[in-house]
């Protein structure tokens, strides 16, 4: 087994990973803000942390992993007030949708799923510690963190703050602050919106204090790993460090791991560009959860991931190939005996697989090791050279692969139905598409162009494009 190395944003380097307690890892992941459905960019980051946790478990570590649901922030409070419902009622729908999305993508449940609104007391207690250490000051009913007092501010993001002038707009707080960089720990209530009555006054927590308070409550004052998307490094994680270390005087996190963003066809995802996708959008177009997981997992987390429909189609084929190989191992009878050259080849693939993941979670390298072996083993089987004696070793490698990548089980359809994304009749699988295409052809042949246009439109709405060839045949593809 190879030494595990990870890129630590704090040092800016790839370093050997050694947990504080031998064999045990305490890890925190910033979860979703549940005011809407999560998008595939969010899931790039959540699949990355899932691959990380699964790999660490495969390597025998005992994991305590906490992920929070940010079920209170300015947008949530304002939207709930507008709808005239409680925060719980407003967020419940998106929390359930997020859990379903996680199950669809085989994102394992962390040891603790926690909600910010269940931890207001812990946040207040942490703010009181900061008050005692004189890191806070009040202004217009809110409480701010005094960054000038925390000498290490900026050590994570290495951001140069000298250019930020007092009064410049660095966040959305429109309150009076001593310095533009200072951030709210506790915010004064807004008229008509929900607030908590607490010993530090009425109001609501700032976003950053949520994660500091919850992470330390479940994982102690020094964590091994903290993960999130790269956009969280500043200011969110920088502020988490400032709050936690000012309260405890101890290092807050030993390894910070950040995932680069997902782009769609080379562009930032945005609703106005029409390139914004939730999982539901893709499943409705007929793509499989396993293909999406594979597409998100296959690009190493520190590289930007350019999501394309071609790439998703390729991921579909890759998963198919791997499933076919697993089925072949199960079904075929191989001649007895052993082939030392093939045995060696399998051992090398297993070693390369571990080497890839140990090297800062290089999923592309780990996958290449498995693909190469699958190709060569298929050839050996076709030639009748593969022996029974190697079966267990290949199956073990495939099982280890799947403990991390989790795509081999052929259960996409059942999963989508069980999780309520589709009913049995409305999933647009290949067979359903072929049927509609044939119906359109029939309509054209009887010159019923209204009917044929209707079918073309219906398919287009579900992401299927038709190309009419000169010879009268039709090809279809997914958008
Ligand atoms: P949010 O729900 O906005 O708090 O985001 C949840 C997680 O998704 C955070 O770790 C973000 O950094 C991450 N994230 C947001 N947009 C993207 C993106 N386009 N690609 C990858 N991760 C993202
Ligand atoms: Zn956080």
């Amino acid at each position: 087994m190879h030494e595990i190395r990870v890129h630590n944003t704090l040092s800016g380097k790839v370093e050997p990973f050694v947990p504080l307690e031998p064999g045990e890892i305490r890890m925190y992941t910033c979860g979703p803000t549940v005011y809407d459905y999560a998008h595939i960019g969010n899931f790039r980051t959540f699949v990355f942390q899932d691959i990380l946790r699964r790999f660490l478990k495969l390597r025998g570590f005992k994991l305590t992993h906490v992920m929070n649901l940010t079920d209170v922030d300015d947008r949530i409070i304002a939207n709930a007030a507008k709808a005239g419902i409680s925060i719980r009622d407003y967020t419940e729908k998106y929390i359930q949708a997020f859990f379903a999305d996680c199950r669809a993508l085989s994102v394992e449940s962390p040891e603790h799923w926690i909600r910010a609104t269940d931890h207001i007391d812990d946040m207040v207690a942490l703010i009181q510690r900061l008050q005692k250490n004189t890191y806070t000051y009040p202004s217009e009913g809110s409480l701010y963190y005094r960054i000038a007092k925390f000498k290490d501010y900026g050590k994570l993001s290495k951001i140069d703050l000298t250019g930020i002038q007092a009064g410049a707009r660095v966040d959305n707080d429109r309150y009076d602050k001593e310095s533009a960089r200072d951030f709210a720990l506790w915010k004064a209530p807004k008229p008509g919106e929900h607030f908590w009555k607490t010993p530090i006054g009425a109001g609501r927590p700032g976003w950053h204090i949520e994660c500091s308070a919850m992470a330390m409550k479940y994982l102690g004052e020094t964590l091994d790993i903290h993960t999130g998307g790269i956009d969280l490094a500043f200011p969110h994680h920088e502020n988490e460090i400032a709050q936690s270390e000012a309260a405890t005087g101890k290092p807050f996190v030993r390894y910070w791991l950040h995932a680069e963003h997902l782009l769609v066809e080379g562009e930032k995802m945005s609703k106005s560009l029409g390139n914004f996708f939730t999982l539901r959008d893709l499943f409705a177009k007929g793509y499989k959860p396993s293909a999406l997981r594979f597409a998100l997992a296959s690009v190493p987390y520190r590289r930007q991931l350019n999501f394309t429909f071609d790439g998703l189609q390729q991921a579909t084929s890759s998963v198919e190939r791997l499933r076919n190989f697993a089925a072949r191992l199960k079904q075929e009878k191989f001649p007895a005996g052993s082939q030392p050259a093939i045995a060696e080849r399998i051992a090398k693939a297993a070693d390369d697989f571990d080497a890839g993941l140990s090297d800062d979670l290089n999923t592309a390298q780990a996958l290449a090791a498995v693909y190469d072996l699958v190709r060569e083993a298929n050839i050996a089987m076709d030639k009748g050279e593969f022996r029974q004696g190697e079966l267990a070793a290949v199956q073990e490698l495939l099982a280890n692969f799947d403990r991390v990548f989790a795509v081999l089980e052929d259960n996409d359809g059942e999963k989508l139905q069980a999780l309520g994304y589709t009913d049995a009749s409305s999933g647009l699988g290949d067979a359903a598409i072929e049927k509609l295409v044939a119906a359109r052809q029939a309509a054209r042949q009887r010159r019923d162009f209204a009917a044929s246009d209707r079918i073309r439109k219906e398919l287009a709405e579900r992401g299927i494009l038709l190309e009419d060839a000169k010879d009268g045949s039709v090809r279809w593809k997914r958008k």
Side-chain angles (χ1 to χ4, degrees):
M1 281 199 295
H2 295 259
E3 177 184 60
I4 299 177
R5 297 167 66 80
V6 294
H7 180 269
N8 188 350
T9 311
L10 194 57
S11 66
K13 293 195 190 99
V14 177
E15 303 172 12
F17 171 72
V18 184
L20 207 52
E21 301 279 332
E24 292 186 18
I25 296 172
R26 283 167 291 170
M27 167 161 147
Y28 186 87
T29 296
C30 292
T33 310
V34 283
Y35 73 101
D36 202 346
Y37 294 111
H39 55 65
I40 54 172
N42 301 135
F43 272 95
R44 195 276 147 115
T45 294
F46 295 131
V47 167
F48 143 66
Q49 62 79 27
D50 186 60
I51 296 279
L52 175 64
R53 62 166 276 135
R54 284 168 173 273
F55 172 58
L56 295 172
K57 282 193 346 183
L58 177 67
R59 286 289 298 259
F61 289 101
K62 178 176 173 290
L63 210 62
T64 311
H65 179 199
V66 175
M67 193 151 149
N68 72 299
L69 297 160
T70 299
D71 62 347
V72 49
D73 84 342
D74 287 359
R75 286 166 299 192
I76 291 173
I77 295 181
N79 288 356
K82 228 182 276 161
I85 53 178
S86 70
I87 291 178
R88 276 284 153 120
D89 287 342
Y90 177 75
T91 55
E92 191 56 26
K93 171 177 162 193
Y94 300 113
I95 290 176
Q96 291 314 323
F98 182 72
F99 286 158
D101 286 353
C102 284
R103 283 202 289 276
L105 289 192
S106 298
V107 169
E108 278 187 344
S109 282
E111 282 63 34
H112 302 278
W113 267 126
I114 54 174
R115 295 181 190 217
T117 50
D118 286 335
H119 296 82
I120 303 292
D121 291 350
D122 302 293
M123 298 172 206
V124 169
L126 183 57
I127 294 171
Q128 286 174 319
R129 277 173 89 177
L130 289 169
Q131 278 180 322
K132 215 171 105 218
N133 297 355
T134 67
Y135 281 89
T136 71
Y137 63 91
S139 175
E140 297 183 353
S142 296
L143 281 170
Y144 289 94
Y145 185 96
R146 182 178 284 125
I147 286 182
K149 193 172 158 66
F150 186 69
K151 295 292 167 260
D152 280 346
Y153 196 83
K155 68 179 173 181
L156 180 72
S157 53
K158 280 104 191 150
I159 208 140
D160 179 12
L161 292 165
T162 49
I164 300 179
Q165 301 299 321
R169 190 69 187 280
V170 290
D171 57 30
N172 289 325
D173 297 321
R174 281 181 226 102
Y175 305 95
D176 275 344
K177 301 190 262 184
E178 284 179 5
S179 156
R181 321 174 210 158
D182 291 348
F183 58 91
L185 296 161
W186 188 255
K187 298 179 178 182
K190 287 190 188 161
E193 294 187 358
H194 185 82
F195 61 89
W196 282 265
K197 267 196 176 144
T198 75
I200 55 171
R204 50 180 159 191
W207 172 34
H208 314 300
I209 199 73
E210 297 178 11
C211 285
S212 283
M214 293 187 282
M216 292 199 290
K217 171 167 181 161
Y218 291 88
L219 300 170
E221 293 180 344
T222 301
L223 286 53
D224 290 302
I225 301 177
H226 195 313
T227 70
I230 189 68
D231 58 310
L232 298 191
F234 182 83
H236 184 50
H237 292 160
E238 198 71 71
N239 292 349
E240 281 188 39
I241 293 176
Q243 296 165 149
S244 306
E245 299 192 354
T248 68
K250 296 179 190 158
F252 174 45
V253 171
R254 301 175 61 244
Y255 299 90
W256 286 94
L257 272 62
H258 291 106
E260 282 294 333
H261 268 194
L262 170 146
L263 304 175
V264 174
E265 310 279 357
E267 297 202 74
K268 195 171 168 199
M269 231 181 358
S270 86
K271 286 190 176 156
S272 59
L273 285 177
N275 66 354
F276 181 98
F277 300 108
T278 64
L279 270 58
R280 276 136 242 273
D281 297 333
L282 297 183
F283 299 155
K285 287 179 191 287
Y287 292 102
K288 293 177 176 173
S290 58
L292 181 58
R293 177 175 169 93
F294 195 84
L296 296 178
S298 56
V299 176
Y301 77 99
R302 281 207 303 129
R303 264 194 242 153
Q304 272 191 344
L305 190 159
N306 188 22
F307 176 87
T308 64
F309 284 95
D310 271 355
L312 191 52
Q313 205 62 60
Q314 277 167 30
T316 309
S317 318
S318 301
V319 170
E320 208 59 39
R321 207 160 45 238
L322 291 165
R323 285 179 181 175
N324 288 341
F325 181 69
R328 188 170 189 186
L329 290 176
K330 242 192 224 154
Q331 288 156 16
E332 251 176 68
K333 284 275 159 284
F334 305 104
S338 179
Q339 261 279 17
I342 296 180
E344 246 173 61
R345 186 61 198 83
I346 298 165
K348 177 162 186 323
D351 189 61
D352 288 349
F353 179 72
D354 182 64
L357 292 177
S358 300
D359 178 15
D360 195 23
L361 224 58
N362 189 336
T363 48
Q365 190 186 327
L367 286 174
V370 174
Y371 289 153
D372 288 351
L373 182 74
V374 168
R375 194 179 52 248
E376 290 171 35
N378 269 326
I379 293 172
M381 288 173 192
D382 294 344
K383 289 188 186 160
E385 287 169 2
F386 192 90
R387 297 284 176 272
Q388 187 68 22
E390 273 72 64
L391 187 59
V394 187
Q395 279 180 325
E396 187 190 328
L397 171 57
L398 222 51
N400 284 345
F401 155 81
D402 209 46
R403 279 166 72 187
V404 179
F405 284 89
V407 291
L408 287 184
E409 198 181 340
D410 190 1
N411 63 352
D412 291 287
E414 293 95 312
K415 231 183 193 175
L416 290 179
Q417 270 177 49
L419 294 170
Y421 293 93
T422 52
D423 61 44
S425 59
S426 72
L428 267 198
D430 290 9
I433 297 169
E434 303 279 13
K435 237 172 148 173
L436 283 167
V437 171
R440 175 171 169 272
Q441 282 291 69
R444 288 171 83 199
Q445 265 155 25
R446 55 171 201 272
R447 307 191 71 74
D448 182 354
F449 295 114
S452 79
D453 283 346
R454 204 168 50 239
I455 298 172
R456 174 193 274 276
K457 198 160 158 262
E458 185 188 329
L459 283 165
E461 275 163 8
R462 303 174 86 165
I464 312 299
L465 293 182
L466 302 183
E467 280 170 27
D468 293 316
K470 282 206 188 83
D471 63 4
S473 67
V474 185
R475 278 194 313 225
W476 62 267
K477 64 175 190 199
R478 293 193 165 91
K479 245 198 291 201

